[in-house]
Amino acid sequence: MMDLLRRASRPIRSLGRATVFFLKVFPMLPSRPVDWVTRPPLIERVRYPTQSGNAEGEVYRPDSPGVHPGIVVCLGVVPFEVNHPQVPVLGRALARAGFAALLYWSPAMRDFRLDPADIENIALAYDWFIDQPYVNAGCSGLLGTCVGGSFALMAAAHPLINQRVAYLSAYAPYSSLWTFAKDIASGSVASDAGRRPWKVDPLTRKVFVHSLTALLEAEEAAYLRRVFVDGKISPESVNLSESAQKVAALLMAGGPEEAGAALHSLPDEMQERLSAISPLSYVQNLQVPLMILLHDRGDQVIPVGESQQLCAALGSRKGVYYTEMQFSHLDPAKGKLPAWKLAREFFKFLAAVYRLFRHVVD
């Protein structure tokens, strides 16, 4: 009888936990009542393995006995330091909603670079985390925002963990560095009516330039970053190598055709790197039973077409759910929507989140 009652109440409990997370993750929402009915999370510093040795991170988990669904959060590139007060918001929200969450911080992404090494490092961190005594390994998964969502997808396909990931959620991921790079370089995106202009976010541009120049000599990389990120014409004369000249040609592309040609003219090592950090290269190895993808239609950081392309590649695979919203890169305040539209978008977000909680709540 108790088991029957527990199964019957599962949707209600799932909705309750999803609502707790929803209210705590958006600072503008009235979440004080949540603090009255949930306990403050336990927060601890931990050391988890990476290819280059142990790294330090933080775990947020419920202050209650037993095991909890585990979630490794791939934060992606954020324009502030690790001690910024906004960083713990997601971890605290997950912990109050019943998750044990490890926040994965990438040194490369903190340097505004996308590095293939992060794929294995996330997999190593996940493999370590789900073996912790307070984590329910069978109900654990990955969550990522922006480029962190893309790396969560790629890590979920890694052979070390691809059969041990129960769910994956990605907000505004890119699907291919080839198409994303073409969009950034040309300042345009594909649409039903052909390509249209796209105002590239400064952070997107910075990460693009830093990632492209990562394989160049330090002096060349610094020069190109000053010119194409800071907009400074350096007085010194720099003799650029052939590789650096090809990178510069891409960064100066005048349109999509020119950008496409410049991409295919990059050195082989750089082209291989573009494919190595493109989720579309890993789709066939994904075995995740539940994938929840979300994206903002007017996203200026990563175009919504990237998630649409990813969903097309996943096809009719069971357990894939995709939601488009009208926030501004997960910031409802920037969208300046009327109250009724904002409520509609909040409901869509809550409905998507509920699927995740329904999957893990026992």
Side-chain angles (χ1 to χ4, degrees), residues 2 7 16 31 42 102 114 121 137 144 154 183 204-206 214 219 239 266 270 273 278-279 290 310 326 356:
M2 291 300 297
R7 286 197 298 271
S31 66
L42 294 176
L102 169 65
L114 304 184
N121 284 339
M154 293 184 284
D183 292 345
T204 301
R205 180 76 176 179
K206 184 174 185 176
E219 184 182 11
N239 294 320
L266 289 174
M270 292 185 183
R273 196 178 182 89
S278 292
L290 176 68
L310 182 59
Q326 288 184 277
L356 173 56

Side-chain angles (χ1 to χ4, degrees), residues 75-92:
L75 293 168
V77 177
V78 290
F80 41 71
E81 296 298 323
V82 295
N83 58 356
H84 191 279
Q86 188 173 329
V87 172
V89 170
L90 182 55
R92 293 179 187 275

Side-chain angles (χ1 to χ4, degrees), residues 34-83:
V34 171
D35 297 342
W36 301 339
V37 296
T38 62
R39 300 169 68 175
L42 294 176
I43 305 171
E44 60 181 321
R45 297 290 295 177
V46 297
R47 294 181 66 82
Y48 57 85
T50 70
Q51 297 173 76
S52 55
N54 287 336
E56 286 194 354
E58 286 187 331
V59 168
Y60 294 75
R61 59 188 176 94
D63 184 11
S64 57
V67 295
H68 311 281
I71 188 166
V72 173
V73 181
C74 307
L75 293 168
V77 177
V78 290
F80 41 71
E81 296 298 323
V82 295
N83 58 356

Side-chain angles (χ1 to χ4, degrees), residues 9-328:
S9 67
R10 185 179 175 190
I12 297 173
R13 289 182 289 114
S14 301
L15 180 59
R17 291 194 180 188
T19 302
V20 167
F21 173 73
F22 167 71
L23 291 172
K24 295 302 296 185
V25 83
F26 291 113
M28 74 286 296
L29 295 178
S31 66
R32 183 63 62 85
V34 171
D35 297 342
W36 301 339
V37 296
T38 62
R39 300 169 68 175
L42 294 176
I43 305 171
E44 60 181 321
R45 297 290 295 177
V46 297
R47 294 181 66 82
Y48 57 85
T50 70
Q51 297 173 76
S52 55
N54 287 336
E56 286 194 354
E58 286 187 331
V59 168
Y60 294 75
R61 59 188 176 94
D63 184 11
S64 57
V67 295
H68 311 281
I71 188 166
V72 173
V73 181
C74 307
L75 293 168
V77 177
V78 290
F80 41 71
E81 296 298 323
V82 295
N83 58 356
H84 191 279
Q86 188 173 329
V87 172
V89 170
L90 182 55
R92 293 179 187 275
L94 286 166
R96 284 192 181 270
F99 283 89
L102 169 65
L103 301 191
Y104 175 86
W105 280 90
S106 160
M109 292 184 191
R110 287 205 293 263
D111 190 37
F112 304 101
R113 293 181 292 107
L114 304 184
D115 190 328
D118 271 319
I119 300 170
E120 183 167 350
N121 284 339
I122 293 169
L124 287 168
Y126 181 83
D127 185 62
W128 170 85
F129 186 55
I130 62 175
D131 283 340
Q132 299 310 299
Y134 48 81
V135 173
N136 182 345
C139 292
S140 295
L142 295 157
L143 181 152
T145 58
C146 194
V147 296
S150 299
F151 275 79
L153 280 158
M154 293 184 284
H158 194 284
L160 179 64
I161 64 171
N162 67 346
Q163 296 185 38
R164 304 179 72 194
V165 180
Y167 62 85
L168 184 148
S169 181
Y171 198 104
Y174 69 84
S175 60
S176 168
L177 243 295
W178 288 92
T179 54
F180 191 23
K182 183 176 179 179
D183 292 345
I184 299 169
S186 66
S188 66
V189 293
S191 69
D192 293 339
R195 296 195 70 89
R196 60 176 177 80
W198 175 51
K199 185 178 180 182
V200 183
D201 185 270
L203 180 60
T204 301
R205 180 76 176 179
K206 184 174 185 176
V207 173
F208 178 54
V209 175
H210 277 236
S211 299
L212 272 178
T213 56
L215 297 179
L216 299 176
E217 294 295 330
E219 184 182 11
E220 293 179 322
Y223 173 77
L224 292 178
R225 291 172 185 179
R226 284 196 298 273
V227 173
F228 293 104
V229 175
D230 303 330
K232 298 177 180 178
I233 305 300
S234 300
E236 72 270 24
S237 176
V238 176
N239 294 320
L240 297 179
S241 65
E242 183 179 355
S243 294
Q245 290 176 34
K246 290 181 176 180
V247 170
L250 174 59
L251 296 174
M252 292 187 292
E257 292 79 13
E258 189 176 344
L263 276 168
H264 288 281
S265 296
L266 289 174
D268 291 344
E269 185 180 10
M270 292 185 183
Q271 293 194 42
E272 290 168 3
R273 196 178 182 89
L274 291 177
S275 297
I277 50 178
S278 292
L280 288 185
S281 302
Y282 299 82
V283 166
Q284 296 305 315
N285 292 326
L286 282 172
Q287 300 182 35
V288 186
L290 176 68
M291 285 185 275
I292 298 171
L293 309 176
L294 306 96
H295 213 119
D296 297 321
R297 292 194 188 99
D299 203 313
Q300 295 299 312
V301 179
I302 296 179
V304 68
E306 288 295 315
S307 277
Q308 293 169 349
Q309 184 174 232
L310 182 59
C311 287
L314 291 169
S316 58
R317 185 180 300 200
K318 185 179 179 181
V320 177
Y321 299 93
Y322 175 55
T323 301
E324 286 186 8
M325 296 180 300
Q326 288 184 277
F327 294 158
S328 180

